[in-house]
Amino acid sequence: MAHVAEASRPLRILVVANQKGGVGKTTTAINLGTALAAVGERVLLIDSDPQGNASTGLGVPRAERRVTLYDVLMGGTPLLDAVTPTRLPGLDLAPADPDLSGVEIELGPEARRSFRLRDALEAVRASGRYTYVLIDCPPSLNLLTVNAMTAADAVLVPLQCEFFALEGLSQLMRTVELVRGSLNPRLEIQGVVLTMFDRRNRLSEQVAGDVRSHFGETVYQTVIPRNVRVSEAPSFGKPVLVYDINCAGSQAYLKLAREVVQRERARREAA
């Protein structure tokens, strides 16, 4: 019955982005999506990275990706036609494949090329099927990332606890400002999540402190630890919450999901 009261709740679209690679972006998209589904949300994860790692990590092999995001962005296929159920109740996937890497060239100078994903998401919004859409982006600023940010309500930034973290973050903030100024004035930062945190490493503590002093309450309280089970899970085509629910990484992602939901509830109440 919980979902009956929430049926009219507007869809919230979050893009998981960082222009720097290797920060735990896809891992965060997969496991946050799984954790949100575990706490009762209805989630669609859109894999917008030509590498298709989010699709693989959710156990959807290439052979089963018959309709992908490429078909949606290039051919006008309805996004709901690309949706593939995962093995997890409450979590669906719009998969990617390597064809996506050609989108930038193939769309060329076409009008509204930055709005393709936003337009495709209108039918998803109208369907009332989901409470959250998470978009996993490539680790670069290209047309796929711009499409994701143009379509999104907010950006969730995974940030690795290492030396160059703040440099990459300031780059991303400039990108968000550019998109907000020209394509999507409502875009905001939902939060920054510290990933690959190692308590034994003094640098992790120092980076976490620096990020919190720069960005204050934008940074989630939850920190994702460096955890071998999190690293192993994708090779089994499973989110870590399915692979090992009791490990520190799984518990951290469940905690992060609760924090995201609380933040969203507070935002709605303040509106």
Side-chain angles (χ1 to χ4, degrees):
M1 292 296 289
H3 286 322
V4 176
E6 292 188 337
S8 60
R9 203 175 88 200
L11 176 68
R12 190 73 168 154
I13 301 170
L14 304 179
V15 55
V16 182
N18 193 323
Q19 283 153 246
K20 194 172 181 305
V23 298
K25 180 179 54 60
T26 298
T27 300
T28 295
I30 290 171
N31 289 299
L32 176 60
T34 304
L36 285 168
V39 298
E41 301 293 338
R42 303 184 302 282
V43 184
L44 172 62
L45 175 58
I46 297 176
D47 189 349
S48 185
D49 186 341
Q51 294 178 79
N53 290 340
S55 305
T56 304
L58 282 171
V60 179
R62 288 233 160 112
E64 289 179 22
R65 300 175 206 172
R66 292 179 184 88
V67 182
T68 70
L69 189 63
Y70 175 83
D71 302 301
V72 174
L73 296 179
M74 293 304 306
T77 301
L79 183 52
L80 287 169
D81 287 1
V83 168
T84 302
T86 71
R87 288 173 288 185
L88 307 156
L91 177 63
D92 289 344
L93 170 74
D97 65 9
D99 288 346
L100 258 185
S101 57
V103 162
E104 191 131 15
I105 295 162
E106 291 179 57
L107 282 179
E110 285 202 28
R112 291 187 63 79
R113 68 186 205 137
S114 298
F115 294 87
R116 289 287 176 112
L117 186 54
R118 180 195 278 189
D119 293 347
L121 275 160
E122 284 307 310
V124 175
R125 204 184 280 277
S127 75
R129 195 189 289 188
Y130 302 104
T131 52
Y132 283 94
V133 168
L134 298 182
I135 308 172
D136 183 36
C137 287
S140 58
L141 175 58
N142 59 17
L143 186 59
L144 292 168
T145 305
V146 170
N147 258 270
M149 288 192 181
T150 302
D153 299 305
V155 182
L156 190 150
V157 187
L159 194 73
Q160 185 181 358
C161 292
E162 52 106 82
F163 185 69
F164 293 113
L166 280 171
E167 197 174 276
L169 187 55
S170 59
Q171 237 181 340
L172 184 76
M173 295 302 182
R174 281 196 294 275
T175 302
V176 170
E177 286 302 324
L178 283 169
V179 171
R180 191 185 284 148
S182 57
L183 296 166
N184 183 5
R186 75 177 190 278
L187 187 66
E188 59 190 26
I189 301 291
Q190 212 276 352
V192 175
V193 58
L194 295 165
T195 62
M196 303 182 192
F197 184 84
D198 187 346
R199 292 194 187 282
R200 299 163 301 177
N201 184 335
R202 193 180 299 168
L203 181 62
S204 276
E205 296 279 5
Q206 187 181 328
V207 170
D210 287 350
V211 174
R212 289 191 192 282
S213 66
H214 272 78
F215 294 97
E217 291 185 1
T218 304
V219 185
Y220 296 103
Q221 289 301 311
T222 305
V223 172
I224 309 300
R226 192 177 283 282
N227 182 254
V228 69
R229 307 299 272 175
V230 172
S231 306
E232 288 171 355
S235 64
F236 292 89
K238 294 178 180 178
V240 71
L241 282 94
V242 176
Y243 182 60
D244 183 354
I245 185 68
N246 294 313
C247 76
S250 291
Q251 294 304 307
Y253 277 113
L254 282 167
K255 196 174 165 195
L256 177 63
R258 286 191 286 267
E259 198 172 347
V260 167
V261 169
Q262 284 165 0
R263 220 171 250 210
E264 288 299 324
R265 189 177 295 135
R267 183 194 57 79
R268 288 196 303 274
E269 287 168 359

